[in-house]
PDB file of all heavy atoms in Angstrom:
ATOM      1  N   ARG A 203    -221.403 137.704  53.275  1.00  0.00           N
ATOM      2  CA  ARG A 203    -222.579 137.309  54.059  1.00  0.00           C
ATOM      3  C   ARG A 203    -223.100 138.515  54.836  1.00  0.00           C
ATOM      4  O   ARG A 203    -222.334 139.331  55.330  1.00  0.00           O
ATOM      5  CB  ARG A 203    -222.182 136.198  55.027  1.00  0.00           C
ATOM      6  CG  ARG A 203    -223.289 135.692  55.897  1.00  0.00           C
ATOM      7  CD  ARG A 203    -222.721 134.622  56.865  1.00  0.00           C
ATOM      8  NE  ARG A 203    -223.734 134.142  57.745  1.00  0.00           N
ATOM      9  CZ  ARG A 203    -224.352 132.980  57.617  1.00  0.00           C
ATOM     10  NH1 ARG A 203    -224.030 132.169  56.639  1.00  0.00           N
ATOM     11  NH2 ARG A 203    -225.271 132.612  58.476  1.00  0.00           N
ATOM     12  N   ALA A 204    -224.416 138.609  54.925  1.00  0.00           N
ATOM     13  CA  ALA A 204    -225.067 139.606  55.786  1.00  0.00           C
ATOM     14  C   ALA A 204    -226.156 138.872  56.563  1.00  0.00           C
ATOM     15  O   ALA A 204    -226.936 138.114  55.984  1.00  0.00           O
ATOM     16  CB  ALA A 204    -225.668 140.731  54.958  1.00  0.00           C
ATOM     17  N   THR A 205    -226.167 139.082  57.870  1.00  0.00           N
ATOM     18  CA  THR A 205    -227.184 138.466  58.723  1.00  0.00           C
ATOM     19  C   THR A 205    -228.053 139.578  59.293  1.00  0.00           C
ATOM     20  O   THR A 205    -227.555 140.476  59.974  1.00  0.00           O
ATOM     21  CB  THR A 205    -226.532 137.656  59.860  1.00  0.00           C
ATOM     22  OG1 THR A 205    -225.678 136.668  59.268  1.00  0.00           O
ATOM     23  CG2 THR A 205    -227.577 136.968  60.715  1.00  0.00           C
ATOM     24  N   LEU A 206    -229.341 139.508  58.975  1.00  0.00           N
ATOM     25  CA  LEU A 206    -230.292 140.546  59.349  1.00  0.00           C
ATOM     26  C   LEU A 206    -231.304 139.968  60.328  1.00  0.00           C
ATOM     27  O   LEU A 206    -231.659 138.790  60.241  1.00  0.00           O
ATOM     28  CB  LEU A 206    -231.007 141.048  58.089  1.00  0.00           C
ATOM     29  CG  LEU A 206    -230.095 141.298  56.885  1.00  0.00           C
ATOM     30  CD1 LEU A 206    -230.921 141.557  55.637  1.00  0.00           C
ATOM     31  CD2 LEU A 206    -229.150 142.439  57.165  1.00  0.00           C
ATOM     32  N   LEU A 207    -231.780 140.788  61.246  1.00  0.00           N
ATOM     33  CA  LEU A 207    -232.703 140.319  62.275  1.00  0.00           C
ATOM     34  C   LEU A 207    -233.985 141.143  62.250  1.00  0.00           C
ATOM     35  O   LEU A 207    -233.970 142.340  62.542  1.00  0.00           O
ATOM     36  CB  LEU A 207    -232.027 140.413  63.642  1.00  0.00           C
ATOM     37  CG  LEU A 207    -232.676 139.664  64.787  1.00  0.00           C
ATOM     38  CD1 LEU A 207    -232.856 138.180  64.467  1.00  0.00           C
ATOM     39  CD2 LEU A 207    -231.832 139.815  66.041  1.00  0.00           C
ATOM     40  N   TRP A 208    -235.093 140.475  61.898  1.00  0.00           N
ATOM     41  CA  TRP A 208    -236.400 141.114  61.792  1.00  0.00           C
ATOM     42  C   TRP A 208    -237.237 140.805  63.034  1.00  0.00           C
ATOM     43  O   TRP A 208    -237.222 139.679  63.530  1.00  0.00           O
ATOM     44  CB  TRP A 208    -237.126 140.603  60.544  1.00  0.00           C
ATOM     45  CG  TRP A 208    -238.499 141.154  60.360  1.00  0.00           C
ATOM     46  CD1 TRP A 208    -238.835 142.364  59.845  1.00  0.00           C
ATOM     47  CD2 TRP A 208    -239.736 140.502  60.678  1.00  0.00           C
ATOM     48  NE1 TRP A 208    -240.204 142.516  59.834  1.00  0.00           N
ATOM     49  CE2 TRP A 208    -240.774 141.379  60.338  1.00  0.00           C
ATOM     50  CE3 TRP A 208    -240.052 139.260  61.236  1.00  0.00           C
ATOM     51  CZ2 TRP A 208    -242.116 141.054  60.531  1.00  0.00           C
ATOM     52  CZ3 TRP A 208    -241.375 138.936  61.423  1.00  0.00           C
ATOM     53  CH2 TRP A 208    -242.401 139.833  61.059  1.00  0.00           C
ATOM     54  N   LYS A 209    -237.953 141.819  63.506  1.00  0.00           N
ATOM     55  CA  LYS A 209    -238.805 141.657  64.687  1.00  0.00           C
ATOM     56  C   LYS A 209    -240.266 141.848  64.290  1.00  0.00           C
ATOM     57  O   LYS A 209    -240.639 142.854  63.681  1.00  0.00           O
ATOM     58  CB  LYS A 209    -238.431 142.669  65.762  1.00  0.00           C
ATOM     59  CG  LYS A 209    -239.200 142.469  67.050  1.00  0.00           C
ATOM     60  CD  LYS A 209    -238.726 143.417  68.128  1.00  0.00           C
ATOM     61  CE  LYS A 209    -239.459 143.161  69.424  1.00  0.00           C
ATOM     62  NZ  LYS A 209    -239.001 144.073  70.466  1.00  0.00           N
ATOM     63  N   ALA A 210    -241.084 140.864  64.678  1.00  0.00           N
ATOM     64  CA  ALA A 210    -242.522 140.908  64.372  1.00  0.00           C
ATOM     65  C   ALA A 210    -243.225 141.966  65.216  1.00  0.00           C
ATOM     66  O   ALA A 210    -242.739 142.345  66.289  1.00  0.00           O
ATOM     67  CB  ALA A 210    -243.140 139.539  64.645  1.00  0.00           C
ATOM     68  N   PRO A 211    -244.380 142.419  64.762  1.00  0.00           N
ATOM     69  CA  PRO A 211    -245.171 143.354  65.575  1.00  0.00           C
ATOM     70  C   PRO A 211    -245.518 142.710  66.923  1.00  0.00           C
ATOM     71  O   PRO A 211    -245.640 141.489  67.025  1.00  0.00           O
ATOM     72  CB  PRO A 211    -246.433 143.582  64.744  1.00  0.00           C
ATOM     73  CG  PRO A 211    -246.082 143.162  63.362  1.00  0.00           C
ATOM     74  CD  PRO A 211    -245.031 142.114  63.485  1.00  0.00           C
ATOM     75  N   HIS A 212    -245.697 143.537  67.926  1.00  0.00           N
ATOM     76  CA  HIS A 212    -245.953 143.022  69.279  1.00  0.00           C
ATOM     77  C   HIS A 212    -247.379 142.526  69.478  1.00  0.00           C
ATOM     78  O   HIS A 212    -247.667 141.856  70.469  1.00  0.00           O
ATOM     79  CB  HIS A 212    -245.613 144.091  70.328  1.00  0.00           C
ATOM     80  CG  HIS A 212    -246.572 145.237  70.348  1.00  0.00           C
ATOM     81  ND1 HIS A 212    -246.517 146.256  69.429  1.00  0.00           N
ATOM     82  CD2 HIS A 212    -247.615 145.507  71.167  1.00  0.00           C
ATOM     83  CE1 HIS A 212    -247.497 147.114  69.686  1.00  0.00           C
ATOM     84  NE2 HIS A 212    -248.182 146.692  70.722  1.00  0.00           N
ATOM     85  N   ASN A 213    -248.277 142.796  68.548  1.00  0.00           N
ATOM     86  CA  ASN A 213    -249.687 142.491  68.786  1.00  0.00           C
ATOM     87  C   ASN A 213    -250.323 141.624  67.695  1.00  0.00           C
ATOM     88  O   ASN A 213    -251.538 141.659  67.531  1.00  0.00           O
ATOM     89  CB  ASN A 213    -250.472 143.793  68.917  1.00  0.00           C
ATOM     90  CG  ASN A 213    -250.345 144.664  67.672  1.00  0.00           C
ATOM     91  OD1 ASN A 213    -249.575 144.370  66.773  1.00  0.00           O
ATOM     92  ND2 ASN A 213    -251.109 145.737  67.629  1.00  0.00           N
ATOM     93  N   SER A 214    -249.511 140.880  66.941  1.00  0.00           N
ATOM     94  CA  SER A 214    -250.136 140.073  65.890  1.00  0.00           C
ATOM     95  C   SER A 214    -249.323 138.826  65.585  1.00  0.00           C
ATOM     96  O   SER A 214    -248.197 138.665  66.060  1.00  0.00           O
ATOM     97  CB  SER A 214    -250.317 140.909  64.611  1.00  0.00           C
ATOM     98  OG  SER A 214    -249.073 141.230  64.054  1.00  0.00           O
ATOM     99  N   HIS A 215    -249.909 137.984  64.793  1.00  0.00           N
ATOM    100  CA  HIS A 215    -249.225 136.791  64.290  1.00  0.00           C
ATOM    101  C   HIS A 215    -249.686 136.582  62.849  1.00  0.00           C
ATOM    102  O   HIS A 215    -250.707 137.122  62.419  1.00  0.00           O
ATOM    103  CB  HIS A 215    -249.539 135.568  65.165  1.00  0.00           C
ATOM    104  CG  HIS A 215    -250.979 135.177  65.127  1.00  0.00           C
ATOM    105  ND1 HIS A 215    -251.931 135.780  65.909  1.00  0.00           N
ATOM    106  CD2 HIS A 215    -251.636 134.263  64.367  1.00  0.00           C
ATOM    107  CE1 HIS A 215    -253.117 135.246  65.648  1.00  0.00           C
ATOM    108  NE2 HIS A 215    -252.961 134.329  64.711  1.00  0.00           N
ATOM    109  N   GLY A 216    -248.922 135.811  62.101  1.00  0.00           N
ATOM    110  CA  GLY A 216    -249.289 135.567  60.712  1.00  0.00           C
ATOM    111  C   GLY A 216    -248.117 135.061  59.919  1.00  0.00           C
ATOM    112  O   GLY A 216    -247.203 134.441  60.451  1.00  0.00           O
ATOM    113  N   ARG A 217    -248.136 135.379  58.632  1.00  0.00           N
ATOM    114  CA  ARG A 217    -247.075 134.957  57.726  1.00  0.00           C
ATOM    115  C   ARG A 217    -246.417 136.188  57.113  1.00  0.00           C
ATOM    116  O   ARG A 217    -247.080 137.168  56.814  1.00  0.00           O
ATOM    117  CB  ARG A 217    -247.663 134.060  56.636  1.00  0.00           C
ATOM    118  CG  ARG A 217    -248.304 132.807  57.265  1.00  0.00           C
ATOM    119  CD  ARG A 217    -248.523 131.750  56.283  1.00  0.00           C
ATOM    120  NE  ARG A 217    -247.227 131.564  55.609  1.00  0.00           N
ATOM    121  CZ  ARG A 217    -247.037 130.746  54.602  1.00  0.00           C
ATOM    122  NH1 ARG A 217    -248.003 130.035  54.134  1.00  0.00           N
ATOM    123  NH2 ARG A 217    -245.861 130.639  54.036  1.00  0.00           N
ATOM    124  N   VAL A 218    -245.116 136.092  56.918  1.00  0.00           N
ATOM    125  CA  VAL A 218    -244.319 137.200  56.388  1.00  0.00           C
ATOM    126  C   VAL A 218    -243.444 136.687  55.256  1.00  0.00           C
ATOM    127  O   VAL A 218    -243.072 135.510  55.240  1.00  0.00           O
ATOM    128  CB  VAL A 218    -243.463 137.848  57.506  1.00  0.00           C
ATOM    129  CG1 VAL A 218    -242.468 136.859  58.086  1.00  0.00           C
ATOM    130  CG2 VAL A 218    -242.759 139.106  57.027  1.00  0.00           C
ATOM    131  N   TYR A 219    -243.159 137.561  54.290  1.00  0.00           N
ATOM    132  CA  TYR A 219    -242.137 137.238  53.297  1.00  0.00           C
ATOM    133  C   TYR A 219    -241.197 138.431  53.179  1.00  0.00           C
ATOM    134  O   TYR A 219    -241.533 139.555  53.543  1.00  0.00           O
ATOM    135  CB  TYR A 219    -242.748 136.820  51.954  1.00  0.00           C
ATOM    136  CG  TYR A 219    -243.369 137.926  51.132  1.00  0.00           C
ATOM    137  CD1 TYR A 219    -242.655 138.534  50.096  1.00  0.00           C
ATOM    138  CD2 TYR A 219    -244.672 138.357  51.350  1.00  0.00           C
ATOM    139  CE1 TYR A 219    -243.228 139.531  49.321  1.00  0.00           C
ATOM    140  CE2 TYR A 219    -245.251 139.351  50.573  1.00  0.00           C
ATOM    141  CZ  TYR A 219    -244.522 139.933  49.569  1.00  0.00           C
ATOM    142  OH  TYR A 219    -245.075 140.917  48.794  1.00  0.00           O
ATOM    143  N   PHE A 220    -240.002 138.144  52.706  1.00  0.00           N
ATOM    144  CA  PHE A 220    -238.957 139.151  52.603  1.00  0.00           C
ATOM    145  C   PHE A 220    -238.572 139.300  51.141  1.00  0.00           C
ATOM    146  O   PHE A 220    -238.250 138.323  50.468  1.00  0.00           O
ATOM    147  CB  PHE A 220    -237.754 138.741  53.457  1.00  0.00           C
ATOM    148  CG  PHE A 220    -238.131 138.545  54.897  1.00  0.00           C
ATOM    149  CD1 PHE A 220    -238.485 137.297  55.374  1.00  0.00           C
ATOM    150  CD2 PHE A 220    -238.199 139.625  55.762  1.00  0.00           C
ATOM    151  CE1 PHE A 220    -238.865 137.113  56.697  1.00  0.00           C
ATOM    152  CE2 PHE A 220    -238.584 139.462  57.090  1.00  0.00           C
ATOM    153  CZ  PHE A 220    -238.920 138.192  57.556  1.00  0.00           C
ATOM    154  N   THR A 221    -238.639 140.533  50.640  1.00  0.00           N
ATOM    155  CA  THR A 221    -238.396 140.805  49.231  1.00  0.00           C
ATOM    156  C   THR A 221    -237.425 141.968  49.092  1.00  0.00           C
ATOM    157  O   THR A 221    -237.264 142.758  50.021  1.00  0.00           O
ATOM    158  CB  THR A 221    -239.731 141.106  48.501  1.00  0.00           C
ATOM    159  OG1 THR A 221    -239.466 141.296  47.108  1.00  0.00           O
ATOM    160  CG2 THR A 221    -240.424 142.323  49.062  1.00  0.00           C
ATOM    161  N   GLY A 222    -236.786 142.074  47.945  1.00  0.00           N
ATOM    162  CA  GLY A 222    -235.887 143.205  47.747  1.00  0.00           C
ATOM    163  C   GLY A 222    -234.862 142.978  46.671  1.00  0.00           C
ATOM    164  O   GLY A 222    -235.130 142.302  45.673  1.00  0.00           O
ATOM    165  N   THR A 223    -233.657 143.517  46.908  1.00  0.00           N
ATOM    166  CA  THR A 223    -232.587 143.564  45.916  1.00  0.00           C
ATOM    167  C   THR A 223    -231.253 143.241  46.567  1.00  0.00           C
ATOM    168  O   THR A 223    -231.000 143.638  47.699  1.00  0.00           O
ATOM    169  CB  THR A 223    -232.508 144.985  45.310  1.00  0.00           C
ATOM    170  OG1 THR A 223    -233.735 145.260  44.636  1.00  0.00           O
ATOM    171  CG2 THR A 223    -231.363 145.144  44.338  1.00  0.00           C
ATOM    172  N   VAL A 224    -230.405 142.529  45.823  1.00  0.00           N
ATOM    173  CA  VAL A 224    -228.998 142.345  46.195  1.00  0.00           C
ATOM    174  C   VAL A 224    -228.170 142.917  45.051  1.00  0.00           C
ATOM    175  O   VAL A 224    -228.434 142.630  43.877  1.00  0.00           O
ATOM    176  CB  VAL A 224    -228.644 140.862  46.442  1.00  0.00           C
ATOM    177  CG1 VAL A 224    -227.154 140.718  46.753  1.00  0.00           C
ATOM    178  CG2 VAL A 224    -229.470 140.292  47.585  1.00  0.00           C
ATOM    179  N   LEU A 225    -227.171 143.743  45.391  1.00  0.00           N
ATOM    180  CA  LEU A 225    -226.325 144.403  44.407  1.00  0.00           C
ATOM    181  C   LEU A 225    -224.920 143.825  44.428  1.00  0.00           C
ATOM    182  O   LEU A 225    -224.254 143.871  45.461  1.00  0.00           O
ATOM    183  CB  LEU A 225    -226.201 145.902  44.712  1.00  0.00           C
ATOM    184  CG  LEU A 225    -227.468 146.723  44.631  1.00  0.00           C
ATOM    185  CD1 LEU A 225    -228.164 146.761  45.969  1.00  0.00           C
ATOM    186  CD2 LEU A 225    -227.126 148.102  44.176  1.00  0.00           C
ATOM    187  N   LYS A 226    -224.490 143.279  43.296  1.00  0.00           N
ATOM    188  CA  LYS A 226    -223.096 142.856  43.157  1.00  0.00           C
ATOM    189  C   LYS A 226    -222.220 144.104  43.044  1.00  0.00           C
ATOM    190  O   LYS A 226    -221.169 144.203  43.640  1.00  0.00           O
ATOM    191  CB  LYS A 226    -222.931 141.970  41.931  1.00  0.00           C
ATOM    192  CG  LYS A 226    -221.508 141.547  41.666  1.00  0.00           C
ATOM    193  CD  LYS A 226    -221.415 140.699  40.425  1.00  0.00           C
ATOM    194  CE  LYS A 226    -219.967 140.380  40.116  1.00  0.00           C
ATOM    195  NZ  LYS A 226    -219.852 139.757  38.792  1.00  0.00           N
ATOM    196  N   ASP A 227    -222.703 145.055  42.246  1.00  0.00           N
ATOM    197  CA  ASP A 227    -222.043 146.354  42.083  1.00  0.00           C
ATOM    198  C   ASP A 227    -223.090 147.324  41.545  1.00  0.00           C
ATOM    199  O   ASP A 227    -224.256 146.951  41.375  1.00  0.00           O
ATOM    200  CB  ASP A 227    -220.812 146.253  41.185  1.00  0.00           C
ATOM    201  CG  ASP A 227    -221.108 145.632  39.828  1.00  0.00           C
ATOM    202  OD1 ASP A 227    -222.102 146.011  39.180  1.00  0.00           O
ATOM    203  OD2 ASP A 227    -220.341 144.746  39.414  1.00  0.00           O
ATOM    204  N   TYR A 228    -222.661 148.525  41.228  1.00  0.00           N
ATOM    205  CA  TYR A 228    -223.601 149.573  40.821  1.00  0.00           C
ATOM    206  C   TYR A 228    -224.495 149.156  39.654  1.00  0.00           C
ATOM    207  O   TYR A 228    -225.690 149.410  39.659  1.00  0.00           O
ATOM    208  CB  TYR A 228    -222.821 150.841  40.454  1.00  0.00           C
ATOM    209  CG  TYR A 228    -223.703 152.006  40.071  1.00  0.00           C
ATOM    210  CD1 TYR A 228    -224.231 152.837  41.049  1.00  0.00           C
ATOM    211  CD2 TYR A 228    -224.011 152.266  38.740  1.00  0.00           C
ATOM    212  CE1 TYR A 228    -225.049 153.906  40.706  1.00  0.00           C
ATOM    213  CE2 TYR A 228    -224.826 153.322  38.391  1.00  0.00           C
ATOM    214  CZ  TYR A 228    -225.341 154.141  39.376  1.00  0.00           C
ATOM    215  OH  TYR A 228    -226.146 155.196  39.036  1.00  0.00           O
ATOM    216  N   GLY A 229    -223.933 148.490  38.673  1.00  0.00           N
ATOM    217  CA  GLY A 229    -224.691 148.150  37.476  1.00  0.00           C
ATOM    218  C   GLY A 229    -225.228 146.734  37.422  1.00  0.00           C
ATOM    219  O   GLY A 229    -225.940 146.373  36.491  1.00  0.00           O
ATOM    220  N   THR A 230    -224.887 145.909  38.405  1.00  0.00           N
ATOM    221  CA  THR A 230    -225.306 144.507  38.397  1.00  0.00           C
ATOM    222  C   THR A 230    -226.063 144.199  39.676  1.00  0.00           C
ATOM    223  O   THR A 230    -225.474 144.182  40.760  1.00  0.00           O
ATOM    224  CB  THR A 230    -224.085 143.569  38.275  1.00  0.00           C
ATOM    225  OG1 THR A 230    -223.257 144.013  37.196  1.00  0.00           O
ATOM    226  CG2 THR A 230    -224.527 142.133  38.035  1.00  0.00           C
ATOM    227  N   PHE A 231    -227.361 143.989  39.541  1.00  0.00           N
ATOM    228  CA  PHE A 231    -228.177 143.713  40.722  1.00  0.00           C
ATOM    229  C   PHE A 231    -229.373 142.848  40.342  1.00  0.00           C
ATOM    230  O   PHE A 231    -229.737 142.738  39.180  1.00  0.00           O
ATOM    231  CB  PHE A 231    -228.635 145.010  41.400  1.00  0.00           C
ATOM    232  CG  PHE A 231    -229.323 145.984  40.474  1.00  0.00           C
ATOM    233  CD1 PHE A 231    -230.694 145.908  40.253  1.00  0.00           C
ATOM    234  CD2 PHE A 231    -228.603 146.969  39.822  1.00  0.00           C
ATOM    235  CE1 PHE A 231    -231.333 146.809  39.401  1.00  0.00           C
ATOM    236  CE2 PHE A 231    -229.232 147.880  38.972  1.00  0.00           C
ATOM    237  CZ  PHE A 231    -230.605 147.791  38.760  1.00  0.00           C
ATOM    238  N   TRP A 232    -229.929 142.214  41.361  1.00  0.00           N
ATOM    239  CA  TRP A 232    -231.088 141.345  41.199  1.00  0.00           C
ATOM    240  C   TRP A 232    -232.189 141.880  42.102  1.00  0.00           C
ATOM    241  O   TRP A 232    -232.018 141.960  43.314  1.00  0.00           O
ATOM    242  CB  TRP A 232    -230.730 139.914  41.581  1.00  0.00           C
ATOM    243  CG  TRP A 232    -229.765 139.294  40.626  1.00  0.00           C
ATOM    244  CD1 TRP A 232    -230.062 138.471  39.581  1.00  0.00           C
ATOM    245  CD2 TRP A 232    -228.330 139.438  40.609  1.00  0.00           C
ATOM    246  NE1 TRP A 232    -228.915 138.107  38.920  1.00  0.00           N
ATOM    247  CE2 TRP A 232    -227.836 138.687  39.528  1.00  0.00           C
ATOM    248  CE3 TRP A 232    -227.425 140.135  41.406  1.00  0.00           C
ATOM    249  CZ2 TRP A 232    -226.491 138.604  39.226  1.00  0.00           C
ATOM    250  CZ3 TRP A 232    -226.080 140.051  41.102  1.00  0.00           C
ATOM    251  CH2 TRP A 232    -225.631 139.299  40.023  1.00  0.00           C
ATOM    252  N   SER A 233    -233.320 142.237  41.502  1.00  0.00           N
ATOM    253  CA  SER A 233    -234.432 142.822  42.255  1.00  0.00           C
ATOM    254  C   SER A 233    -235.645 141.902  42.235  1.00  0.00           C
ATOM    255  O   SER A 233    -235.714 140.959  41.451  1.00  0.00           O
ATOM    256  CB  SER A 233    -234.824 144.171  41.650  1.00  0.00           C
ATOM    257  OG  SER A 233    -233.775 145.086  41.803  1.00  0.00           O
ATOM    258  N   ASN A 234    -236.598 142.239  43.089  1.00  0.00           N
ATOM    259  CA  ASN A 234    -237.845 141.489  43.220  1.00  0.00           C
ATOM    260  C   ASN A 234    -237.604 140.052  43.659  1.00  0.00           C
ATOM    261  O   ASN A 234    -238.409 139.172  43.371  1.00  0.00           O
ATOM    262  CB  ASN A 234    -238.657 141.526  41.913  1.00  0.00           C
ATOM    263  CG  ASN A 234    -239.047 142.939  41.561  1.00  0.00           C
ATOM    264  OD1 ASN A 234    -239.418 143.722  42.424  1.00  0.00           O
ATOM    265  ND2 ASN A 234    -238.935 143.287  40.295  1.00  0.00           N
ATOM    266  N   LEU A 235    -236.485 139.824  44.341  1.00  0.00           N
ATOM    267  CA  LEU A 235    -236.243 138.488  44.862  1.00  0.00           C
ATOM    268  C   LEU A 235    -237.108 138.267  46.096  1.00  0.00           C
ATOM    269  O   LEU A 235    -237.541 139.225  46.748  1.00  0.00           O
ATOM    270  CB  LEU A 235    -234.760 138.284  45.167  1.00  0.00           C
ATOM    271  CG  LEU A 235    -234.091 139.205  46.184  1.00  0.00           C
ATOM    272  CD1 LEU A 235    -234.338 138.759  47.605  1.00  0.00           C
ATOM    273  CD2 LEU A 235    -232.613 139.252  45.914  1.00  0.00           C
TER     274      LEU A 235
END
């Protein structure tokens, strides 16, 4: 488990999405999630 904490800009509001990659190991990963 990894728990990450994102902070919004101080001067705006809206909608956000989180995208990226999780790596099981060097050769096995899932991107564009």
Side-chain angles (χ1 to χ4, degrees):
R203 180 183 178 103
T205 302
L206 316 170
L207 195 55
W208 178 80
K209 185 175 183 180
H212 71 281
N213 59 353
S214 67
H215 65 277
R217 299 197 52 184
V218 62
Y219 73 98
F220 302 93
T221 183
T223 297
V224 177
L225 296 90
K226 177 181 175 190
D227 54 46
Y228 182 85
T230 311
F231 53 88
W232 292 263
S233 295
N234 298 319
L235 60 82

